[in-house]
Amino acid sequence: MIAPYFQGLNVSLCNLTPFHIKQFYNDKLKTVSKNTIVHYHANIRKALQNAYLLDLIPNNPADKVEKPKVERYEGQYYDEEDFRELFKCIHGDSIEIAIIFISFFGLRRSELVGIRWSLINFKRQQLKMGTTIVQIPVDGHYQLVVENKAKTKSSIRAYPLVDSITKILLQLKSYQQSMMALCGDSYCKDYLDFVFVDKLGRLMKPNYISQHFQILLEKYNLKKIRLQDLRHSCATLMRERGMSIEDISKWLGHSNTVTTEKVYVHFKDAQKIKSANAISDIIPEIKI
């Protein structure tokens, strides 16, 4: 999103001015939020600061550009009743298991799609996180980017597998093996290590999950929330059931508890196994 714009200006690094950067922000504000511009600003400033430290430019022009103020978003969240209704309505849907995992583990969608079979230890009942998959626009098309690193060090974490989640995973693995045998050469072999693939073995796209989730909410007249709000809901449900902010923060993979308190927990007011068991009873029985 950033590089193509500035490449189109034909402006060299030495000739880049605060005006060019400001114009970029103004142009992008037509299609993205102010919060997205804040992220753009952070990336641009960091890149230009590196160039300044290498004496490639005399100063950092981004320092003279005022970034937009972050718009605080008050996310909606699902309570236990909402979750049960959601799971009932989406039973059998292509993203049913994806929604269950996001809701239970409080995952980012990039983390969900990055879950690998090789990092699941059924004997030790453990699921390791670390790989993320994002979609980025390249020349007008979205491209999947696999990163074998998480958002922060704290995002690299391991979850205990409760019985209900283990049962779902084993069913899913068996289903994928049967589909691979049935489809033969038509089955995509590029993502055999990834858990969240479609019937033909193609990786489930993060954007598809978000968009299809909204379609399901509309179809079944469910409370309108963002996919990200399921992560908020997981934190809130844990807090309401007595989990500490510190334990919830570790469960979500936050680098500190401030984010957990301010953004994800809509409840004013030890361990990971305790965190898992606190909400394991909301996982529905499914058959694949």
Side-chain angles (χ1 to χ4, degrees):
M1 290 291 285
I2 298 176
Y5 177 89
F6 287 101
Q7 288 168 352
L9 294 180
N10 292 320
V11 176
S12 66
L13 182 62
C14 293
N15 293 325
L16 187 67
T17 67
F19 177 77
H20 293 125
I21 298 173
K22 184 63 176 177
Q23 284 295 97
F24 168 69
Y25 295 163
N26 290 340
D27 182 68
K28 291 302 175 185
L29 276 173
K30 299 173 185 176
T31 55
V32 302
S33 69
K34 289 184 179 179
N35 290 352
T36 300
I37 299 298
V38 171
H39 290 301
Y40 287 161
H41 180 79
N43 290 329
I44 290 172
R45 190 193 174 283
K46 183 178 181 181
L48 292 175
Q49 187 65 17
N50 288 336
Y52 169 68
L53 293 175
L54 293 172
D55 291 327
L56 297 177
I57 52 177
N59 54 63
N60 187 339
D63 287 337
K64 297 181 180 179
V65 180
E66 184 179 1
K67 66 179 180 181
K69 293 182 179 179
V70 176
E71 296 177 331
R72 178 72 180 277
Y73 174 78
E74 282 295 330
Q76 298 296 313
Y77 70 97
Y78 271 17
D79 59 21
E80 185 175 338
E81 253 184 69
D82 293 324
F83 269 127
R84 294 188 187 281
E85 182 66 17
L86 171 67
F87 293 149
K88 184 177 74 174
C89 290
I90 68 172
H91 178 64
D93 192 84
S94 61
I95 65 168
E96 177 187 13
I97 298 177
I99 297 304
I100 290 173
F101 270 60
I102 290 175
S103 303
F104 178 68
F105 292 111
L107 299 176
R108 305 172 180 93
R109 65 179 189 173
S110 59
E111 294 174 327
L112 171 88
V113 184
I115 295 177
R116 294 175 180 264
W117 289 113
S118 59
L119 294 180
I120 299 174
N121 190 320
F122 287 106
K123 187 175 181 180
R124 295 182 60 187
Q125 293 285 280
Q126 187 182 74
L127 163 65
K128 288 185 178 179
M129 303 297 300
T131 301
T132 59
I133 296 179
V134 296
Q135 284 180 269
I136 60 172
V138 177
D139 297 328
H141 300 281
Y142 279 100
Q143 180 176 315
L144 289 172
V145 176
V146 180
E147 298 181 344
N148 290 313
K149 61 184 181 69
K151 186 177 179 181
T152 63
K153 286 185 179 180
S154 55
S155 297
I156 303 173
R157 58 204 188 276
Y159 286 113
L161 293 179
V162 294
D163 290 343
S164 53
I165 292 294
T166 299
K167 185 177 179 181
I168 290 173
L169 285 169
L170 290 174
Q171 287 187 64
L172 183 58
K173 191 172 185 64
S174 176
Y175 172 75
Q176 290 176 359
Q177 289 171 344
S178 65
M179 288 303 298
M180 182 164 57
L182 178 66
C183 296
D185 292 338
S186 297
Y187 194 87
C188 177
K189 307 296 195 302
D190 296 337
Y191 304 105
L192 294 180
D193 192 33
F194 289 90
V195 173
F196 287 95
V197 295
D198 65 15
K199 292 180 179 180
L200 292 177
R202 298 168 301 197
L203 195 65
M204 196 173 285
K205 295 179 176 62
N207 286 358
Y208 168 75
I209 299 173
S210 296
Q211 292 162 4
H212 192 64
F213 179 62
Q214 294 304 317
I215 291 173
L216 290 175
L217 297 185
E218 187 72 30
K219 178 180 179 180
Y220 296 108
N221 196 29
L222 298 170
K223 182 194 293 185
K224 302 298 187 295
I225 63 171
R226 305 173 307 167
L227 186 70
Q228 173 76 358
D229 291 331
L230 291 176
R231 182 167 159 84
H232 301 190
S233 303
C234 171
T236 302
L237 188 56
M238 282 184 162
R239 185 66 177 132
E240 289 177 344
R241 294 192 176 192
M243 301 308 301
S244 70
I245 292 293
E246 290 74 17
D247 285 336
I248 296 171
S249 183
K250 291 175 184 176
W251 184 264
L252 296 177
H254 287 157
S255 57
N256 57 66
T257 60
V258 175
T259 303
T260 313
E261 290 178 310
K262 290 188 175 180
V263 182
Y264 291 104
V265 179
H266 303 261
F267 186 78
K268 294 184 178 179
D269 163 305
Q271 306 302 322
K272 285 186 177 179
I273 292 290
K274 186 178 177 184
S275 301
N277 290 332
I279 58 172
S280 64
D281 59 318
I282 71 168
I283 302 302
E285 285 280 337
I286 70 167
K287 284 190 177 181
I288 300 173

